Structure formats: structure tokens, C-alpha cells
């Protein structure tokens, strides 16, 4: 089995950092979607109550 070199570790860390950044971005996108959906639902509920 080959030993890992410092360059291998650097590549691994760079890959993990990129994956972490992508996951954080995806989480933020879902958070914004959830907030937008919550706002839209609250607005719809308020509008329905006002017209009832």
C-alpha cells in the first residue's frame, strides 16, 4: 500500500473544503426556500382572513 504524500493530504483537504462549501451553499439555498415558502403561506393566510 502506498503512503500518502503531503500533496495527497493537500488534495484531500481541498476536496473536503470544496464539498463543505457546496453543502453549506445548498443548505443556505434550502433555508431561503423555506423562509420564502413560510412568508408566502403567511401572506396567503392573512389575505384569506382579510377576505373572509
Amino acid at each position: 500500500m502506498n503512503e500518502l504524500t503531503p500533496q495527497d493530504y493537500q488534495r484531500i483537504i481541498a476536496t473536503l473544503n470544496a464539498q463543505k462549501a457546496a453543502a453549506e451553499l445548498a443548505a443556505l439555498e434550502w433555508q431561503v426556500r423555506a423562509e420564502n415558502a413560510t412568508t408566502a403561506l403567511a401572506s396567503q393566510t392573512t389575505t384569506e382572513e382579510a377576505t373572509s
Side-chain angles (χ1 to χ4, degrees), residues 9-40:
Y9 286 111
Q10 289 175 350
R11 268 197 312 276
I12 292 167
I13 290 169
T15 300
L16 292 174
N17 283 336
Q19 291 174 344
K20 178 183 176 188
E24 288 173 343
L25 179 58
L28 286 172
E29 289 172 345
W30 279 106
Q31 181 179 353
V32 168
R33 288 179 186 181
E35 290 171 356
N36 288 343
T38 300
T39 301

